[in-house]
Amino acid sequence: MRTIGAQALMTLISHFVFIFVAFWSIQKLHIENFMRLYPSQARVLIVLLSVTVGFTCSEFFLNFIDNVRNLIFLVK
């Protein structure tokens, strides 16, 4: 049970870190300049893009780490 909790904590931390990095990166694109008539929608778009990109990157790296750990069973 303890390993499941640790894995859940690692997953949550990974998701939040990658979402934060994506949010920080996407803000530098200044999407709101392209959507001058709709500034509030531009902010929502930035948040949704950040969640999408961050979650996808986080899932990729978590799956990669899990697959590397499972390579041990190929040798045994």
Side-chain angles (χ1 to χ4, degrees), residues 25-35 42 46:
S25 299
I26 291 174
Q27 276 186 327
K28 302 300 178 191
L29 295 175
H30 299 291
I31 293 174
E32 57 273 354
N33 290 342
F34 299 113
M35 299 177 67
I46 290 171

Side-chain angles (χ1 to χ4, degrees), residues 14-54:
S14 173
H15 288 338
F16 282 123
V17 166
F18 275 97
I19 289 171
F20 173 76
V21 169
F23 182 74
W24 176 72
S25 299
I26 291 174
Q27 276 186 327
K28 302 300 178 191
L29 295 175
H30 299 291
I31 293 174
E32 57 273 354
N33 290 342
F34 299 113
M35 299 177 67
R36 289 184 191 138
L37 297 176
Y38 308 105
S40 60
Q41 282 91 350
R43 284 186 225 116
V44 172
L45 178 65
I46 290 171
V47 170
L48 291 176
L49 281 174
S50 300
V51 170
T52 303
V53 171

Side-chain angles (χ1 to χ4, degrees), residues 59-73:
E59 280 294 314
F60 169 76
F61 282 107
L62 288 172
N63 284 333
F64 183 78
I65 291 169
D66 193 37
N67 287 330
V68 168
R69 278 191 348 206
N70 288 336
L71 282 175
I72 296 170
F73 298 114

